[in-house]
């Protein structure tokens, strides 16, 4: 299964070999089991501005820059265009509500996976659509033995977020100007998967939320695992 997935990836992009020197992880729903909290924060905050946002909306837009999601929702429901500054003020409300909720736990299996990657001499980076400084500080606290500030890409590093390839292209640059075939992306949501694929990086989907498996496959993930623990248990098969 793993060899076939890699073979199909290489053929699709015309690359000779997959030679990972970095693994680029999304944050929400990948490093942390945080998406339920985000869904609550999105629904409560947007209701204050007359915007109806469902749990499905929160999962479907996960990975995009928050201001981009807000601008799209306002246009769709209120038929008006707002600038980034207004969207940021609305996003600040969402951030405040999110940080008032109980802290999301570290995703089961992620530490053991990162340890194996680290032991294999492969860099670890984080590529998130978030720009919230408390979350970035938490990454450094919880995963500081594997990742440093220089290898974290946030919403403030790019002008176009996921599903555009820009965040992952920036992640490649921060890892040492790597080529796409020198990295692996780990994602849990359609927009993030599409961003990794658009950057021509081998993209692994891990279905840590309520989305149908087919939804992730339709985003063209190269490989899919049902849980992060399952991915960790099979890392050596993907990278012998």
């Amino acid at each position: 299964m793993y060899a076939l997935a890699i073979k199909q990836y290489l053929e699709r992009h015309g690359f000779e070999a997959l030679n990972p020197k970095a693994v680029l992880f999304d944050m929400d729903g990948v490093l942390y089991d945080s998406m339920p909290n985000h869904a609550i924060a999105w629904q409560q905050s947007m209701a204050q501005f007359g915007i109806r946002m469902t749990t499905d909306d929160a999962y479907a837009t996960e990975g995009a820059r928050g201001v981009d999601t807000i601008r799209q929702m306002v246009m769709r429901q209120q038929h008006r265009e707002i600038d980034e500054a207004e969207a940021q003020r609305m996003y600040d409300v969402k951030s405040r509500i999110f940080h008032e909720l109980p802290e999301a736990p570290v995703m089961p299996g992620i530490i053991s996976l990162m340890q194996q990657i680290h032991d294999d001499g492969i860099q670890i980076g984080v590529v998130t659509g978030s720009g919230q400084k408390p979350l970035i500080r938490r990454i450094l606290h919880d995963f500081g033995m594997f990742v440093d500030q220089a290898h974290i890409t946030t919403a403030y590093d790019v002008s176009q977020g996921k599903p555009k390839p820009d965040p992952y292209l920036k992640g490649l640059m921060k890892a040492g100007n790597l080529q796409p075939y020198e990295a692996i992306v780990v994602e849990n949501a359609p927009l993030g998967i599409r961003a990794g694929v658009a950057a021509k990086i081998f993209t692994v989907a891990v279905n840590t939320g309520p989305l149908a498996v087919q939804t992730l496959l339709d985003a063209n993930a190269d490989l899919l695992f049902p849980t992060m623990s399952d991915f960790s248990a099979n890392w050596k098969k993907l990278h012998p």
Side-chain angles (χ1 to χ4, degrees):
M1 176 177 77
Y2 307 104
L4 177 60
I6 293 172
K7 179 175 181 290
Q8 291 174 336
Y9 161 78
L10 296 174
E11 290 177 347
R12 184 164 61 253
H13 296 293
F15 298 145
E16 291 187 5
L18 178 64
N19 181 29
K21 297 178 180 178
V23 178
L24 306 176
F25 289 90
D26 178 38
M27 180 177 67
D28 291 305
V30 174
L31 303 187
Y32 299 105
D33 190 10
S34 51
M35 283 309 298
N37 283 0
H38 278 289
I40 292 170
W42 273 120
Q43 291 175 82
Q44 291 184 2
S45 61
M46 291 304 101
Q48 296 182 27
F49 301 98
I51 299 294
R52 181 178 180 274
M53 193 162 183
T54 66
T55 297
D56 286 348
D57 289 331
Y59 278 89
T61 58
E62 194 268 305
R65 296 196 314 160
V67 291
D68 292 337
T69 296
I70 289 170
R71 295 179 75 179
Q72 291 170 11
M73 296 296 287
V74 170
M75 176 60 73
R76 189 180 308 152
Q77 295 187 25
Q78 298 182 347
H79 311 293
R80 64 187 183 94
E81 186 170 344
I82 61 173
D83 61 21
E84 188 153 329
E86 182 176 352
Q88 183 64 54
R89 288 191 292 272
M90 296 168 70
Y91 184 63
D92 288 344
V93 176
K94 183 262 178 180
S95 298
R96 176 180 55 77
I97 294 174
F98 176 82
H99 289 293
E100 290 172 350
L101 295 170
E103 190 172 74
V106 170
M107 186 66 69
I110 190 67
I111 296 293
S112 62
L113 174 59
M114 282 193 175
Q115 186 66 61
Q116 293 178 79
I117 294 169
H118 177 76
D119 290 347
D120 283 348
I122 298 174
Q123 297 180 70
I124 292 174
V126 176
V127 178
T128 174
S130 174
Q132 299 178 43
K133 291 180 180 179
L135 294 179
I136 306 308
R137 287 195 294 269
R138 189 181 176 200
I139 291 174
L140 295 173
H141 177 269
D142 293 338
F143 302 99
M145 67 288 282
F146 304 122
V147 62
D148 59 25
Q149 180 80 53
H151 289 80
I152 299 176
T153 301
T154 74
Y156 297 119
D157 287 309
V158 295
S159 57
Q160 296 189 103
K162 304 171 187 179
K164 298 293 186 180
D166 303 42
Y168 282 111
L169 294 176
K170 188 71 172 182
L172 290 176
M173 189 185 79
K174 289 192 174 192
N177 292 315
L178 299 182
Q179 296 299 313
Y181 55 81
E182 294 180 308
I184 293 173
V185 161
V186 183
E187 273 282 355
N188 70 305
L191 294 186
I193 294 168
R194 286 166 56 193
V197 171
K200 299 183 179 181
I201 304 172
F202 187 86
T203 301
V204 176
V206 185
N207 195 13
T208 61
L211 296 176
V213 167
Q214 194 58 47
T215 301
L216 303 183
L217 294 176
D218 287 345
N220 295 317
D222 293 293
L223 197 60
L224 185 143
F225 290 98
T227 67
M228 196 63 68
S229 295
D230 190 53
F231 186 12
S232 178
N234 288 280
W235 167 254
K236 290 299 182 186
K237 296 178 183 176
L238 179 62
H239 187 258

